[in-house]
Amino acid sequence: MSMTPDLQQRFSNLDENDIDVLIIGAGINGAGLFRDLSLQGVNCLIVDKADFGSGTSAAPSRLIHGGLKYLETGEFGLVAQSTLERNLLLKNAPHCVEPLPTFIPVFSWTRGIWAAIRTLFGSKTAPRSRGAVLIKIGLRLYDFFGSRDQVMPRHRLILKKQARKEMPHITPAIVAGGIYYDAKISRPERLVYELVRDGLDANAGSLAANFATLAAVSEGRLTFRQPDGREFSVAPKLVVNAAGPWIDHVNTLLGAPSHLIGGTKGSHILLDHPELVRSLNGHMIYFEADDGRICLVYDYLGLALVGSTDIPAGDPDNVSCEEPETEYFLESIRSLLPTLRFDRDQIVYSYSGIRPLPASDATVPGLISRDHSAPVKEQEDDRPFPIISLVGGKWTTFRGFAEEVADAILSRLQRRRSQSTRYLAIGGGKAFPVDAKQRHAWISDAAARSGGVAAERADELLGRYGTTAVALLSSPSSYSDEQRLTGAARYSLREIDWIARNELVVHLSDIVMRRTTLAIEGRLTLEGLREIAGVAGAALGWDGERTASEIQEVVSQLSRFHGQTLTGKIAAEPEKAARPASG
């Protein structure tokens, strides 16, 4: 079991009655709640059967958005909260959340109005096409709901000629285009880890354990087994089930069977397509496919990310992007961008996850509400703790959801909130430079403290890790920053060593798939993976057999779940795209 010395000490001193709240599931909702409660002085334990942020939270569209399409279903409260939380994340996590200008192709002027009205009043079918009038109304509403803590420009509607100038490969069938602003997140898995780390730093009485499985439940005591076979037990006052699509399964293990989840599968592919990425000029295209479903394509770390499907599904342990979904994506963007070539040989990575949506009888998965709820099962004679289940929600709204649930828990514990998270920076977003002058000063200071790292490199690491980069650069290491990974020259062995020693890594996959974006970027080669395993193994005390096993497990996971076969080849080095003007 790999833990930092301070966390090892906490577990060695753990008394089973020390924990006020046990959170099962370390995805975005669980991690957000763990941070919030720990900040209020509540002793929390968060556990996950896998790594932090390794389930559904690792499979989003990587957008931080207000949910434009939820206006159609009349979920105005959800849009208001989502746009606010989007604006707050742009301020609180600037190291991994940035504005994303979004282009909507418009194919008619008036189509879809009556269908939209029917949907607004409860119809189970969504409009097949949305004309310029409908889109203009929607974008005005979207700007209105997003006006709190506003940090981005308002929308604009442009005619065909200008639209085709902005998007040169777009189909000539359009009549106009809308441009509005949302945001994207470059490293969602890493942000989940940072929330957990923030919670641990905020309260010395809180603990976190990844790869900890529930071994026994007896008389209010829950026992967890760690990868090395050691066990620990807690008798919490309250249990939060934040297991996402596994919620019903966990409630059954806790002796409180439920039927809360009716998940849908969302898949995505990433294309190595420099011509497409250049033509997007930093924009996302948010479009309606031929069958009426909403799709998107945008520049993600130099690759083109295409998504997403919305298919009823219920096996979160065995989910991957399947052949019909891949073909659907390729056909959709071929139709949208007919002058570009799209083929399977451009796909460098794919991923899929089960959205933990509430059980629903909706005939169209896209109409299932993305709002959240927290139903409670009160304690019973044989179960002395209540269970709060975190159902539904969006990646974007995790902080607001956590705040709501934390306030309810504080009330149950007869405590008061001592700190708001509304304007509280996350992880590497703390003390992040807010303008060019501050950024230059930070880079100069970090380069000086590192003992020789170039300013350009310090800037690159600031973009990757936020202000955490200064600790990485200034910490003693047996590796220099000039020692770079084979096939991924932008990454150093020193980075890998620091992550392995400081970021609660248990497996090699934690490093390449969650603490970094090496896998999803298509940066991995077999030789590079062996180098990473060698560095991580030295830091974590792995022997030769364990190191070989870790390498094989990553190779297997990438092949089985992400359509990636490791060879000596890598995706083309992404070009640095110019940021679009904000006006």
Side-chain angles (χ1 to χ4, degrees):
M1 181 66 180
S2 174
M3 289 186 181
T4 53
D6 69 311
L7 194 54
Q8 287 178 342
Q9 187 64 41
R10 293 187 202 186
F11 270 97
S12 66
N13 295 334
L14 175 64
D15 181 285
E16 66 181 33
N17 296 307
D18 287 344
I19 297 300
D20 300 313
V21 177
L22 166 66
I23 301 172
I24 300 176
I28 187 60
N29 286 332
L33 181 60
F34 175 75
R35 173 188 187 240
D36 196 329
L37 287 173
S38 295
L39 284 161
Q40 315 315 320
V42 176
N43 292 347
C44 292
L45 165 65
I46 187 168
V47 297
D48 199 290
K49 67 173 186 175
D51 189 26
F52 309 116
S54 62
T56 296
S57 295
S61 293
R62 297 172 186 264
L63 298 177
I64 299 297
H65 67 110
L68 180 65
K69 69 179 181 178
Y70 309 139
L71 292 173
E72 285 182 342
T73 51
E75 295 181 272
F76 299 135
L78 177 59
V79 175
Q81 183 184 33
S82 300
T83 50
L84 171 64
E85 295 297 335
R86 175 201 67 194
N87 294 347
L88 294 177
L89 271 169
L90 283 162
K91 298 176 180 180
N92 295 332
H95 58 309
C96 60
V97 178
E98 61 182 291
L100 179 62
T102 300
F103 176 85
I104 302 180
V106 182
F107 294 91
S108 73
W109 291 104
T110 59
R111 198 174 300 163
I113 294 175
W114 293 113
I117 292 172
R118 290 195 302 271
T119 302
L120 185 63
F121 284 96
S123 170
K124 299 300 184 182
T125 58
R128 274 295 306 272
S129 181
R130 299 149 182 92
V133 172
L134 195 59
I135 287 172
K136 180 68 177 178
I137 294 170
L139 292 179
R140 278 193 172 179
L141 281 171
Y142 203 57
D143 284 344
F144 169 75
F145 284 119
S147 60
R148 289 182 295 170
D149 283 281
Q150 183 176 338
V151 292
M152 295 183 291
R154 296 184 178 277
H155 82 278
R156 55 195 173 103
L157 193 68
I158 54 179
L159 298 179
K160 178 175 181 174
K161 184 177 180 181
Q162 181 62 31
R164 297 203 69 208
K165 190 177 293 184
E166 297 256 2
M167 294 288 135
H169 296 287
I170 202 79
T171 172
I174 65 168
V175 300
I179 294 179
Y180 71 98
Y181 287 78
D182 263 325
K184 62 181 178 179
I185 179 168
S186 56
R187 294 167 175 83
E189 303 91 340
R190 186 170 178 81
L191 194 72
V192 173
Y193 162 75
E194 290 184 338
L195 289 165
V196 173
R197 184 69 257 177
D198 282 357
L200 292 171
D201 292 342
N203 183 358
S206 288
L207 301 98
N210 47 350
F211 298 97
T213 55
L214 183 60
V217 180
S218 177
E219 298 179 344
R221 181 186 297 107
L222 293 92
T223 300
F224 293 89
R225 184 173 296 119
Q226 297 174 302
D228 60 4
R230 287 184 293 178
E231 295 182 345
F232 62 88
S233 298
V234 290
K237 298 180 179 69
L238 185 147
V239 171
V240 175
N241 182 351
W246 294 271
I247 279 177
D248 291 325
H249 174 68
V250 169
N251 279 339
T252 298
L253 295 178
L254 296 176
S258 63
H259 181 58
L260 298 173
I261 301 299
T264 68
K265 175 186 175 186
S267 295
H268 302 77
I269 59 174
L270 286 106
L271 306 176
D272 182 13
H273 200 315
E275 186 179 6
L276 169 59
V277 170
R278 279 194 302 272
S279 72
L280 291 172
N281 190 32
H283 289 69
M284 174 171 76
I285 304 179
Y286 185 70
F287 66 101
E288 186 178 0
D290 291 341
D291 66 352
R293 284 191 281 185
I294 298 296
C295 294
L296 54 89
V297 55
Y298 69 94
D299 172 7
Y300 173 76
L301 300 177
L303 300 172
L305 188 152
V306 184
S308 158
T309 51
D310 204 359
I311 303 168
D315 184 6
D317 288 310
N318 295 285
V319 59
S320 62
C321 182
E322 298 176 82
E323 172 60 26
E325 295 172 286
T326 299
E327 184 59 31
Y328 170 76
F329 289 139
L330 294 175
E331 283 300 319
S332 295
I333 53 178
R334 283 173 187 142
S335 177
L336 178 74
L337 304 164
T339 59
L340 293 176
R341 181 185 76 86
F342 296 100
D343 223 326
R344 280 170 175 72
D345 62 4
Q346 297 164 326
I347 300 173
V348 298
Y349 196 84
S350 64
Y351 64 91
S352 189
I354 303 293
R355 302 178 182 93
L357 302 180
S360 170
D361 61 358
T363 55
V364 179
L367 294 180
I368 301 174
S369 175
R370 265 55 172 177
D371 209 347
H372 52 253
S373 64
V376 181
K377 289 215 170 189
E378 299 293 351
Q379 64 251 47
E380 298 177 354
D381 291 341
D382 58 345
R383 178 174 46 79
F385 50 81
I387 303 170
I388 300 178
S389 298
L390 306 189
V391 178
K394 298 166 70 259
W395 224 101
T396 305
T397 57
F398 77 85
R399 190 212 63 87
F401 191 10
E403 184 177 66
E404 294 169 22
V405 177
D407 285 342
I409 290 173
L410 289 169
S411 177
R412 283 175 173 265
L413 297 176
Q414 298 183 325
R415 302 190 195 184
R416 291 186 176 182
R417 174 172 289 275
S418 60
Q419 186 172 3
S420 171
T421 59
R422 183 160 177 156
Y423 298 109
L424 193 63
I426 300 168
K430 297 183 182 75
F432 195 87
V434 297
D435 55 35
K437 182 178 178 181
Q438 286 189 21
R439 191 178 186 103
H440 178 75
W442 188 95
I443 290 167
S444 298
D445 178 66
R449 292 171 63 180
S450 70
V453 168
E456 186 180 66
R457 175 63 172 162
D459 187 34
E460 181 178 46
L461 294 177
L462 176 64
R464 187 175 296 161
Y465 303 107
T467 52
T468 303
V470 75
L472 188 158
L473 286 170
S474 58
S475 295
S477 176
S478 57
Y479 301 93
S480 77
D481 192 63
E482 284 70 37
Q483 292 175 275
R484 301 300 177 90
L485 285 175
T486 298
R490 292 183 181 178
Y491 285 84
S492 70
L493 300 188
R494 183 173 184 172
E495 284 176 70
I496 303 303
D497 182 52
W498 192 89
I499 289 169
R501 293 179 186 277
N502 293 279
E503 295 196 337
L504 307 182
V505 167
V506 176
H507 292 293
L508 184 60
S509 58
D510 304 340
I511 297 174
V512 300
M513 298 172 73
R514 286 173 289 278
R515 306 297 186 273
T516 73
T517 51
L518 277 160
I520 196 170
E521 286 183 79
R523 299 288 99 205
L524 284 179
T525 63
L526 273 174
E527 185 178 349
L529 185 62
R530 292 187 187 105
E531 290 174 354
I532 296 168
V535 173
L540 301 174
W542 297 344
D543 59 19
E545 183 179 354
R546 170 71 185 272
T547 301
S549 172
E550 292 287 340
I551 293 170
Q552 183 54 48
E553 180 60 25
V554 169
V555 171
S556 176
Q557 284 186 34
L558 291 176
S559 174
R560 181 181 175 191
F561 296 112
H562 303 289
Q564 191 176 86
T565 302
L566 289 193
T567 65
K569 298 178 181 179
I570 59 169
E573 193 73 17
E575 300 175 20
K576 288 190 176 180
R579 289 202 177 199
S582 60

